[in-house]
Amino acid sequence: MKNSENIELTPHFDLFEMCKFGKYGYANLPVEDSKGVIEHLFKLCEALEVIRKSLCDWQTKKDIPLIVNSGYRSRAVNKLVGGSPTSDHLFGYAADIRSLVYPPGQLFERIRSLANLDVIQCGQVILYPTFVHFSINRAIHKNQFLKKVGSHYEVV
């Protein structure tokens, strides 16, 4: 893959969106030797599609888009934004998302409902004041729902 090549990951998400290509003044695309990042991003975007579809406006039958604040992060970008050195973003497992229609708390609860119904499988979901962190990495966490409160996280 060339540094300037975009690929469609799912019907509503592409590689540039998941990497915010050029946002930090240099390419944030995974390098060719990134272990499984593209594959993980495909799986992450499939889960995001399910969430997006669940946000459908039942009156108009139109999907309500999800906005990706941050998806994949290179180590340099992760450090720049103050991310954890073991962040799932580094491996293409996580995205910070929001909706223009649903506040973060409602989006968080929608994801929890989908997980409880086994419609999606998630690793860790964290409610922040302005967005929701959504991870599909189940190797460490399975359906872990947290809320950022001050400088710590609470299980909710």
Side-chain angles (χ1 to χ4, degrees), residues 105-120:
Q106 286 182 348
L107 180 58
F108 178 86
E109 290 303 329
R110 179 63 57 97
I111 294 168
R112 187 200 310 256
S113 295
L114 293 170
N116 287 342
L117 293 169
D118 289 326
V119 175
I120 60 170

Side-chain angles (χ1 to χ4, degrees), residues 73-142:
R73 296 180 194 152
S74 67
R75 292 212 176 275
V77 169
N78 192 59
K79 186 174 181 178
L80 183 69
V81 300
S84 164
T86 59
S87 172
D88 282 345
H89 289 278
L90 295 167
F91 309 101
Y93 284 125
D96 297 338
I97 57 175
R98 62 188 171 89
S99 166
L100 294 177
V101 176
Y102 291 93
Q106 286 182 348
L107 180 58
F108 178 86
E109 290 303 329
R110 179 63 57 97
I111 294 168
R112 187 200 310 256
S113 295
L114 293 170
N116 287 342
L117 293 169
D118 289 326
V119 175
I120 60 170
Q121 292 187 346
C122 50
Q124 188 177 62
V125 182
I126 305 172
L127 174 61
Y128 286 87
T130 59
F131 65 90
V132 174
H133 169 86
F134 174 76
S135 168
I136 59 167
N137 184 357
R138 293 172 59 84
I140 300 171
H141 310 285
K142 290 184 181 160

